[in-house]
Amino acid sequence: MTETLAINGGRPVRSTLLPYGHQMIDDEDIAAVVQVLKSDWITTGPKVAEFEDVFAGFVGAKYAVSFSSGTAALHGAAYAAGLKPGDEAITTPMTFCASANCVIYQGAKPIFADVTEDTLNINPDEVASHITEKTKAIIPVDYAGHPADLDSIKEIAEDKNLTVIEDACHALGAKYKGKSVGSICDMTVFSFHPVKHITTGEGGMVCTDNGESAARMRRFRNHGIEGDARQRQAKGQWYYEMADLGYNYRLTDIACALGLSQLRKLDENLSRRRKIADFYNAGLKDVPGLILPAVKNGVIPAWHLYPIRFDPSKFRAGRGEIFAALRAENIGVNVHYIPVHTHPYYRRSFGYQGGEYPASEAAYETLISLPMFHSMSDEDGQDVIQAVEKVFRWYLQ
């Protein structure tokens, strides 16, 4: 007999909530931050360049430019790509809104292209069909940490002379056909939010091999000013010029010290996430009606998320009821993502009604993200598997 669900009065699988994501900060991280707090520079100091240099080396890029958040980094990349009013950039609706908002920040228009049904990454055929004379950039998103079809996207971009801004905020440490994400596209954007593979609290980075793009982004994050206060102090100078219109998108030395400490643990963090994904794959493969994440040949995902889907024809409940039942078992599931074009702002501003991108919209109706973070224990993972089996088997037709 199937065990009664917690939402129906049964005993929950866990006594406390397991979140879908969580940072891991240790004494080494704290010591690194304290050292900076006791130093002369807590922002625009030496740790910024050090973090950028080490990070660029890790992903195999010539340049890395830090920003105050992944969203600011996306904005910086859109600026460096030269997006302006009248331009268009193609991205996916199956993402967080920042991937598209960065285009609007530049006065340009985001154009959505639907996703493939396996990885939920942007479909290159759909990208090609949406290119016009106004298109200036393609912004693929490495959904859940699985790199998009970068070869196909780059081929389209090279044929049409477009810039590729890879939104790899989910994919630090991922590999695509033997290459590190961050070394493949014109610009690659990363995020250091607490639920990501490493954290600086908030923070982001853009990697590129283009020195001019890197210089533009360094000015852009610093009010459009060439150089910074530390450089002027070292030279005994006060004079500066604002060459471009920019923003205060700088990442602090405090955050960069944390980032450097965290980066030393990245390989270990990635390994742990991959073990959790393997654990889920093995434990959930026989649950009827579940669709587990796909992994394409030649790809090693970074596993920022572990998103499952289900076949709605096999269950007597929808996603909302299943989601609530899993939360009642104290499994902190989440949903990634509400398709961007269905948000009120995009409906109001661009006239979307829903139904424009069927693969994204159909996936959204059955998506549930399971807990995935590198400090999870094996027991935590087993609780997730037990709860998923319990809930989905209860609602089987």
Side-chain angles (χ1 to χ4, degrees):
M1 183 176 178
T2 305
E3 185 180 355
T4 302
L5 299 185
I7 201 169
N8 295 334
R11 182 178 180 179
V13 168
R14 289 177 60 91
S15 59
T16 59
L17 181 70
L18 179 70
Y20 95 89
H22 197 269
Q23 72 273 12
M24 184 168 71
I25 304 294
D26 63 17
D27 289 343
E28 183 181 70
D29 298 324
I30 294 168
V33 170
V34 170
Q35 185 177 21
V36 167
L37 289 171
K38 292 179 177 180
S39 74
D40 291 334
W41 293 93
I42 62 173
T43 192
T44 62
K47 288 296 178 184
V48 176
E50 184 182 351
F51 183 40
E52 290 173 340
D53 289 346
V54 173
F55 192 91
F58 180 87
V59 302
K62 289 183 180 178
Y63 308 98
V65 182
S66 61
F67 286 85
S68 55
S69 68
T71 299
L74 281 163
H75 189 186
Y79 171 81
L83 289 176
K84 61 186 185 303
D87 291 342
E88 294 176 350
I90 299 172
T91 191
T92 166
M94 184 52 68
T95 186
F96 184 61
C97 53
S99 308
N101 290 352
C102 67
V103 179
I104 300 174
Y105 297 158
Q106 287 300 108
K109 182 179 180 181
I111 302 296
F112 297 108
D114 212 350
V115 299
T116 61
E117 293 184 1
D118 50 3
T119 64
L120 302 185
N121 278 320
I122 197 166
N123 186 332
D125 292 336
E126 291 291 319
V127 171
S129 72
H130 284 81
I131 291 174
T132 71
E133 70 279 357
K134 297 180 180 180
T135 308
K136 296 296 185 293
I138 305 171
I139 308 175
V141 175
D142 298 331
Y143 177 78
H146 187 295
D149 186 351
L150 298 177
D151 281 351
S152 296
I153 291 166
K154 286 181 63 182
E155 184 177 346
I156 293 167
E158 288 166 5
D159 182 58
K160 300 294 184 179
N161 195 29
L162 307 176
T163 300
V164 179
I165 302 170
E166 182 184 0
D167 181 341
C169 289
H170 291 187
L172 177 58
K175 302 283 187 181
Y176 177 81
K177 298 184 178 179
K179 297 179 181 178
S180 294
V181 165
S183 67
I184 301 168
C185 295
D186 297 309
M187 288 179 276
T188 306
V189 181
F190 297 96
S191 168
F192 308 132
H193 184 275
V195 297
K196 299 299 187 354
H197 306 81
I198 66 170
T199 186
T200 57
E202 290 279 1
M205 192 80 79
V206 183
C207 292
T208 183
D209 286 344
N210 187 304
E212 183 179 349
S213 294
R216 281 174 58 82
M217 287 187 285
R218 293 188 197 283
R219 288 194 299 272
F220 183 74
R221 71 171 179 196
N222 187 36
H223 305 278
I225 296 169
E226 195 80 59
D228 58 39
R230 178 169 170 264
Q231 291 169 332
R232 291 193 295 275
Q233 177 171 299
K235 295 177 181 178
Q237 296 176 346
W238 58 268
Y239 184 77
Y240 64 87
E241 292 182 329
M242 186 186 117
D244 304 310
L245 179 63
Y247 293 77
N248 181 359
Y249 280 165
R250 299 182 300 251
L251 193 61
T252 67
D253 276 51
I254 300 167
C256 289
L258 177 57
L260 279 162
S261 181
Q262 289 263 304
L263 195 57
R264 289 191 284 271
K265 295 179 270 281
L266 178 56
D267 285 338
E268 181 181 348
N269 295 350
L270 288 163
S271 176
R272 180 61 187 159
R273 284 173 178 263
R274 287 167 180 150
K275 287 179 181 177
I276 295 166
D278 290 343
F279 192 59
Y280 282 164
N281 289 340
L284 298 175
K285 63 182 174 61
D286 295 325
V287 179
L290 277 196
I291 303 166
L292 304 185
V295 177
K296 304 288 277 187
N297 289 335
V299 168
I300 303 175
W303 293 110
H304 164 54
L305 301 172
Y306 190 93
I308 61 171
R309 286 174 282 169
F310 61 93
D311 181 348
S313 69
K314 290 182 167 55
F315 297 92
R316 50 186 174 84
R319 197 266 309 282
E321 193 172 352
I322 292 170
F323 182 95
L326 286 165
R327 294 284 297 196
E329 302 293 340
N330 278 320
I331 304 300
V333 290
N334 209 326
V335 173
H336 300 91
Y337 288 99
I338 301 168
V340 178
H341 68 288
T342 66
H343 285 293
Y345 172 83
Y346 279 84
R347 289 179 181 269
R348 185 172 67 248
S349 300
F350 300 102
Y352 291 112
Q353 300 296 315
E356 292 89 353
Y357 305 101
S360 297
E361 293 173 43
Y364 164 64
E365 294 297 332
T366 66
L367 270 170
I368 297 176
S369 295
L370 303 184
M372 170 58 78
F373 54 98
H374 38 271
S375 60
M376 281 178 60
S377 67
D378 289 350
E379 291 75 17
D380 291 333
Q382 186 56 53
D383 287 344
V384 174
I385 291 170
Q386 182 182 341
V388 169
E389 281 198 296
K390 178 182 177 182
V391 168
F392 278 93
R393 290 188 186 279
W394 177 274
Y395 287 119
L396 267 176
Q397 293 277 21

